[in-house]
Amino acid sequence: MLTLSIGSACTVLQHALVSGLEETPQQYHKYNIDTLHTSAKLLYDKLSQVEGLCPVVPQGAMYIMVGIEISKFKDITDDQDFTKKLLAEQAVGILPGQASASGCIEMCISYIEQ
């Protein structure tokens, strides 16, 4: 039986992951990295155009941190309020930064079809 113990992956899973990464053609990894880089740049560029949002260029992460100037947004009290209202009004799910950086939000970077 494969199980997780003490919060870590089992040995079989670890070996399968290494094998899968080594046997996957490099062009596949390059394509994914290039796609994420393009998506991150597009997301950064678009967020930079919104008054009151201050995105930070990702340095290899699959998310982008965005500072929020709360005073620029009507009826928004903090980052958690911002995320709740964005979800309710636009169906966009993001994380409030209160756990890591108050006054910020975290957005996942994924493939963006242009």
Side-chain angles (χ1 to χ4, degrees), residues 17 19-37 62:
L17 180 61
S19 176
L21 288 173
E22 290 176 345
E23 294 174 15
T24 302
Q26 285 301 314
Q27 65 194 44
Y28 175 81
H29 296 299
K30 181 178 179 348
Y31 171 78
N32 285 330
I33 290 167
D34 290 347
T35 299
L36 285 170
H37 181 264
M62 292 183 66

Side-chain angles (χ1 to χ4, degrees), residues 52-67:
L53 296 182
C54 307
V56 177
V57 177
Q59 300 292 315
M62 292 183 66
Y63 65 90
I64 186 168
M65 289 292 287
V66 183

Side-chain angles (χ1 to χ4, degrees), residues 75-102:
D75 300 325
I76 301 290
T77 57
D78 59 17
D79 53 325
Q80 194 164 15
D81 188 37
F82 184 91
T83 60
K84 286 179 183 178
K85 289 180 178 172
L86 189 61
L87 181 61
E89 295 174 16
Q90 299 297 320
V92 175
I94 56 176
L95 296 173
Q98 288 181 338
S100 57
S102 185

Side-chain angles (χ1 to χ4, degrees), residues 42-51 53-55:
L42 179 62
L43 184 58
Y44 174 83
D45 290 346
K46 294 293 185 183
L47 290 171
S48 295
Q49 296 173 10
V50 178
E51 185 178 354
L53 296 182
C54 307

